[in-house]
Amino acid sequence: MKDFIHAELLEIAEHFKLLASYSGIIADAALHCRRALENNRKIMFCGNGGSAADSQHLAAELIGRYKLNRKAMNAIALTVDTSILTAVGNDYGYDTIFRRQVEGLGQEGDVLVGLSTSGNSENVVQAFLIARNMGISTIALTGQGGGKMKELADFCINVPSDATNHIQEMHIAVGHLICGLVEQGIYGHA
């Protein structure tokens, strides 16, 4: 068991070493989010399963706080309203659950962050398509290949792994980096 744990931790560490080469795109995405918030726009997050949980986690970091005590920032996870999710899913199909929310809540200049380990989650893809038509920029957090979202996103951070658990580990780290950079940029010393 110790050998397994040791090997897993070394593999995780190796993925994060490779992720360091993504510093430029992460910085660009964070600056884009910061500018949207400074212009009184919002950051919307969406994803399925573990990516839904990460969406909620990251929205909470912006609404609450990440490291600094400061005013709430305008962020929302499109994964939390069960009435909307079930009504839209039932009436229009599961593939539209985020698209309808972007259409109803989104404004030009907002940012939509979509998390999908494959990059092919159809409900996130559909949200990206409507966002593009509405002048809402998109940030994709995906696995190594990037999937369909890579082609649709303004910024694609397709982390260096094909294993779902490792992709999700890196997504939350990237999300934390973005939240920290946004928070510092608006309320700190960066």
Side-chain angles (χ1 to χ4, degrees), residues 51-71:
S51 296
D54 289 345
S55 294
Q56 292 166 222
H57 180 146
L58 296 172
E61 299 289 24
L62 295 175
I63 295 271
R65 68 175 174 153
Y66 180 63
K67 292 186 177 181
L68 300 177
N69 286 322
R70 39 106 180 131
K71 291 171 58 175

Side-chain angles (χ1 to χ4, degrees), residues 30-51:
L31 182 59
H32 193 73
C33 289
R34 173 184 167 179
R35 288 183 178 147
L37 291 168
E38 289 173 333
N39 288 314
N40 297 313
R41 293 300 181 232
K42 72 181 141 313
I43 313 298
M44 299 176 285
F45 296 88
C46 64
N48 298 287
S51 296

Side-chain angles (χ1 to χ4, degrees), residues 20 36 55 66 70 85 87 95 119 143 161 164 166 174 180 189:
S55 294
Y66 180 63
R70 39 106 180 131
L85 295 173
D95 289 347
S161 180
T164 299
H166 296 308
V174 168
H189 308 300

Side-chain angles (χ1 to χ4, degrees), residues 4-189:
F4 171 79
I5 293 168
H6 184 77
E8 280 292 304
L9 291 173
L10 289 177
E11 185 176 354
I12 291 167
E14 189 58 36
H15 287 294
F16 276 89
K17 284 181 187 175
L18 294 171
L19 188 61
S21 67
Y22 292 67
S23 297
I25 186 84
I26 295 168
D28 291 344
L31 182 59
H32 193 73
C33 289
R34 173 184 167 179
R35 288 183 178 147
L37 291 168
E38 289 173 333
N39 288 314
N40 297 313
R41 293 300 181 232
K42 72 181 141 313
I43 313 298
M44 299 176 285
F45 296 88
C46 64
N48 298 287
S51 296
D54 289 345
S55 294
Q56 292 166 222
H57 180 146
L58 296 172
E61 299 289 24
L62 295 175
I63 295 271
R65 68 175 174 153
Y66 180 63
K67 292 186 177 181
L68 300 177
N69 286 322
R70 39 106 180 131
K71 291 171 58 175
M73 291 188 257
N74 194 0
I76 186 170
L78 304 179
T79 58
V80 297
D81 190 323
T82 55
S83 295
I84 290 174
L85 295 173
T86 57
V88 171
N90 185 63
D91 295 348
Y92 298 99
Y94 189 72
D95 289 347
T96 67
I97 61 171
F98 301 133
R99 174 189 172 91
R100 296 287 293 190
Q101 290 183 79
V102 171
E103 185 177 32
L105 300 171
Q107 297 176 305
E108 186 174 349
D110 286 346
V111 177
L112 175 63
V113 180
L115 292 84
S116 169
T117 58
S118 68
N120 292 316
S121 298
E122 189 59 30
N123 53 9
V124 181
V125 168
Q126 289 298 316
F128 271 38
L129 289 169
I130 192 74
R132 175 186 281 176
N133 292 338
M134 293 176 65
I136 297 169
S137 57
T138 53
I139 298 172
L141 298 180
T142 71
Q144 191 163 295
K148 295 175 187 175
M149 290 168 58
K150 183 176 182 178
E151 303 305 317
L152 298 172
D154 295 300
F155 303 91
C156 183
I157 303 165
N158 52 321
V159 300
S161 180
D162 289 324
T164 299
N165 60 313
H166 296 308
I167 295 167
Q168 290 173 333
E169 290 156 0
M170 288 183 278
H171 281 180
I172 202 62
V174 168
H176 276 161
L177 285 167
I178 290 171
C179 288
L181 289 166
V182 167
E183 184 179 72
Q184 278 294 319
I186 295 174
Y187 294 101
H189 308 300

